[in-house]
Amino acid sequence: MRYEIDVNGQRHGVDAPADMPLLWVLRDLVGLTGTKYGCGVAACGACTVLLDGQAVRSCQFPMEQYAGQKVATVEGLSPDRTHPLQLAWIAEQVPQCGYCQSGMLMAAHALLREVPRPTDAQIDAAMTNLCRCGTLPRVRRAIRRAAGMAPA
Ligand code: FES
Ligand code: FES
């Protein structure tokens, strides 16, 4: 079936089955590979993108559930890596292998859109993404930095 989707402010026409998860539409049909496949069962958060501003796990969203909503992926954060979260991630040297990090950035982006200066408890509640390299303490510091708070 033919769908029109809005990704990072650009319209794309895609031919996809109604049950094709957004993750694969983004990666295979739109060509945006920043969003990663980790577990495929909504457990790890590697595939996190924003749907109308809310963080969602794109491996679990079939096309028929999100047609018409605005999708934001890591590629859309900034054209030149100057989004406050990207600068904070670099300043705190957050990534190790990097595999989970686009999902982390999008979860953090959704959090700061909703709560511009989150408490540590709010950060911990929002950042349920898994990182097998153990970067979560640096993720927290980077979120605080991006929010204009002293990194803890
Ligand atoms: S790949 Fe979607 S949550 Fe793990
Ligand atoms: S940086 Fe390697 S899994 Fe998170």
Side-chain angles (χ1 to χ4, degrees), residues 113-132:
R113 280 170 57 98
E114 193 139 321
V115 188
R117 292 174 71 82
T119 63
D120 285 347
Q122 287 171 316
I123 293 174
D124 289 350
M127 300 305 294
T128 56
N129 300 35
L130 303 179
C131 174
R132 69 179 65 189

Side-chain angles (χ1 to χ4, degrees), residues 54-101:
Q54 302 290 315
V56 299
R57 298 191 168 180
S58 62
C59 65
Q60 292 299 301
F61 268 82
M63 175 61 91
E64 61 193 351
Q65 277 187 24
Y66 64 82
Q69 298 182 65
K70 290 189 188 319
V71 181
T73 71
V74 70
E75 290 91 345
L77 276 183
S78 75
D80 56 1
R81 304 179 188 175
T82 56
H83 187 282
L85 280 167
Q86 291 171 315
L87 295 176
W89 247 242
I90 293 167
E92 296 293 341
Q93 290 288 287
V94 174
Q96 290 192 35
C97 81
Y99 197 83
C100 71
Q101 296 293 323

Side-chain angles (χ1 to χ4, degrees), residues 6-31:
D6 180 318
V7 184
N8 302 328
Q10 287 195 325
R11 304 288 298 174
H12 297 267
V14 295
D15 288 309
D19 61 353
M20 187 173 191
L22 174 57
L23 171 62
W24 302 117
V25 172
L26 291 171
R27 289 183 58 87
D28 292 350
L29 303 184
V30 180

